[in-house]
Amino acid sequence: AAAITELNVNNVTAPGTKSLAGINYFPNLTKLTVSGLESLEDTDLSSNLKLTSIDISLKNGAKSVVTTNLTALTTFSFEVTGTVTEEMV
């Protein structure tokens, strides 16, 4: 995991994904792209200190995305493409 600098999580590469638990095991991650998934549970990216770009596009939203301490972050995009459910508000 330490060698990976870019990660693309989508409905083709990881169908049914509801969580990014374990993302902290990618300490050299600089770019994260998440697309086409229904939703995400609480997502804590605060230990991925080398992240410079985060692009998240979900059908129904996310409960939370924590980006505390990401001082290298230059690009952040979050998009909901469908209807936000009450559970995600």
Side-chain angles (χ1 to χ4, degrees):
I4 296 174
T5 58
E6 295 187 10
L7 187 61
N8 186 348
V9 180
N10 61 54
N11 58 335
V12 175
T13 61
T17 298
K18 296 274 188 208
S19 169
L20 295 181
I23 194 83
N24 56 304
Y25 292 109
F26 296 83
N28 295 311
L29 198 60
T30 59
K31 182 177 182 181
L32 174 65
T33 303
V34 179
S35 63
L37 301 178
E38 290 293 323
S39 61
L40 284 176
E41 298 297 322
D42 294 341
T43 301
D44 187 351
L45 302 172
S46 63
S47 62
N48 299 92
L49 300 178
K50 294 184 179 180
L51 273 170
T52 60
S53 176
I54 300 171
D55 184 1
I56 301 173
S57 177
L58 302 167
K59 292 180 183 176
N60 298 323
K63 288 191 178 190
S64 71
V65 178
V66 179
T67 58
T68 308
N69 302 322
L70 301 185
T71 58
L73 191 63
T74 58
T75 304
F76 181 85
S77 174
F78 185 89
E79 178 182 16
V80 177
T81 61
T83 304
V84 177
T85 61
E86 277 188 39
E87 293 175 0
M88 296 296 136
V89 175

